[in-house]
Amino acid sequence: MRPITLAIHGGAGTLLKGNMTSEKEKAYKDALALALEKGYAILEENGTAVDAVEVAVKSLEDSPLFNAGKGSVFTAEGTHEMDAAIMDGNTLNAGAVSLITGIKNPVSLARDVMEKSEHVFLAGDGAMRFANDQGFSVESETYFHDDLRHKQWLEIKDSDHFQLDHSDKKDHKFGTVGAVALDYHGDIAAATSTGGMTNKKWGRVGDSPMIGAGNYANNMTCAVSCTGSGEFFIRGVVAYDVSCLMEYKGMTLQEAADEVIQKRVLAIGGDGGLIAVDIHGNIAMPFNTEGMYRAKKDSFGTQEIAIYK
Ligand code: ASP
């Protein structure tokens, strides 16, 4: 029997243990467990890796705890602008959206770009017109309103600062979500979704929707979803770099993922992490921050839900 594997993340960061209560920790773990179960059920029912990553990411987008979909952070204008991407490692088809507003599940819109348009990446007004054509409904701002996120934004709203999703100046937390999967057919896929950074302006776009930077999948190598300081992940072309190290240097998944996160990203000043799978069902989840919300499950019997190292 071929293996199946699913790994998910809800963002990396310096999640100060002092700011974490046992109730909060349980809420995060429950949300991760729910997304893991939903995505894994698809794989067990012989569904595709693309279906599994979409379902898992949708579940995380529906939770107010993570900076994606419902829990997206506030922009400088007090709105929510979301980015997402999905990639099929079998066909190398990909879809991505950025700067979209009011869409409950940006990952599903990215999938429609992949499957129902002739394009890979749609942004802003155009992406919203495409969403309308595909019958997506637009939620009001109240659906995305969260008191804590609003407070975080109010603290820096009149400044030029923008920050990653966190509640305390020293508590850097990236709340982007993502999933990578291997299905029974031997195909892998990756999906990533984010609200970006609090108080972002000028149409700032991070790595998450950029194919090769924050998200990538290729059956020849691996499927990768990243989280962290997007500007550095774009400059490091991080997800594709993991794939390249496997393809050109013959590294294992773990070696390639560690090389990129623990050496190359750090060397240019970036912090964050990634999750990755290969077609043999190996999983790597390196991060160079204090923690990363993460979970994995596979047909070898592994199951893990973790936050700190
Ligand atoms: N990488 C995301 C971005 O820069 C942030 C995150 O991982 O939370 O938009």
Side-chain angles (χ1 to χ4, degrees):
M1 188 87 146
R2 286 176 149 167
I4 52 172
T5 301
L6 179 70
I8 60 173
H9 72 78
T14 310
L15 322 163
L16 292 186
K17 277 205 174 158
N19 290 351
M20 180 65 90
T21 61
S22 54
E23 293 84 53
K24 263 201 230 171
E25 190 163 336
K26 182 175 181 313
Y28 278 110
K29 286 188 170 168
D30 286 351
L32 287 168
L34 181 66
L36 192 69
E37 285 313 319
K38 284 186 177 174
Y40 197 79
I42 301 282
L43 296 174
E44 274 186 315
E45 289 154 15
N46 205 21
T48 66
V50 171
D51 282 339
V53 293
E54 181 190 1
V55 164
V57 166
K58 273 174 80 172
S59 177
L60 295 167
E61 286 176 339
D62 291 342
S63 165
L65 295 175
F66 305 103
N67 173 20
K70 185 167 177 51
S72 292
V73 297
F74 285 82
T75 67
E77 278 78 43
T79 57
H80 300 88
E81 278 176 358
M82 298 167 286
D83 307 328
I86 191 164
M87 187 158 182
D88 178 347
N90 177 32
T91 57
L92 299 188
N93 283 339
V97 289
S98 91
L99 304 173
I100 57 166
T101 52
I103 303 293
K104 201 171 167 224
N105 294 114
V107 69
S108 299
L109 184 57
R111 181 164 183 182
D112 274 6
V113 172
M114 173 167 84
E115 292 176 349
K116 298 178 183 163
S117 85
E118 291 177 348
H119 308 294
V120 170
F121 202 157
L122 300 181
D125 289 348
M128 292 305 294
R129 286 204 299 279
F130 175 76
N132 186 48
D133 290 353
Q134 298 306 319
F136 279 78
S137 58
V138 175
E139 307 294 328
S140 72
E141 278 293 321
T142 49
Y143 173 77
F144 300 94
H145 185 93
D146 178 82
D147 283 341
L148 175 67
R149 295 249 151 71
H150 192 242
K151 191 173 148 271
Q152 290 168 357
W153 172 60
L154 289 180
E155 283 167 10
I156 57 167
K157 145 182 182 315
D158 296 320
S159 72
D160 273 340
H161 297 299
F162 59 93
Q163 67 192 20
L164 290 142
D165 170 28
H166 63 82
S167 54
D168 177 291
K169 298 267 176 318
K170 292 181 272 20
D171 183 16
H172 292 278
K173 178 168 93 54
F174 313 102
T176 291
V177 307
V180 291
L182 164 69
D183 64 28
Y184 278 131
H185 314 274
D187 296 324
I188 54 178
T192 308
S193 180
T194 188
M197 293 168 110
T198 299
N199 212 35
K200 65 182 180 179
K201 52 187 179 180
W202 307 308
R204 182 266 181 191
V205 178
D207 60 311
S208 308
M210 291 185 195
I211 302 304
N215 198 79
Y216 187 71
N218 185 339
N219 273 8
M220 273 177 38
T221 52
C222 58
V224 182
S225 171
C226 301
T227 169
S229 44
E231 279 65 13
F232 297 92
F233 280 68
I234 294 171
R235 290 164 53 204
V237 203
V238 165
Y240 187 60
D241 203 20
V242 176
S243 171
C244 287
L245 288 171
M246 293 177 72
E247 185 175 353
Y248 304 146
K249 279 202 152 179
M251 287 189 182
T252 64
L253 181 79
Q254 189 69 53
E255 286 166 354
D258 282 342
E259 163 76 24
V260 172
I261 291 298
Q262 310 300 3
K263 293 189 186 150
R264 297 181 177 208
V265 171
L266 271 184
I268 57 171
D271 54 350
L274 61 80
I275 54 170
V277 297
D278 65 17
I279 54 156
H280 308 293
N282 295 307
I283 303 175
M285 306 175 113
F287 50 95
N288 61 33
T289 48
E290 200 156 299
M292 179 167 80
Y293 295 102
R294 62 198 187 278
K296 63 180 176 185
K297 183 166 179 169
D298 64 32
S299 50
F300 304 114
T302 311
Q303 180 157 357
E304 181 190 313
I305 298 174
I307 300 177
Y308 298 98
K309 271 184 188 140

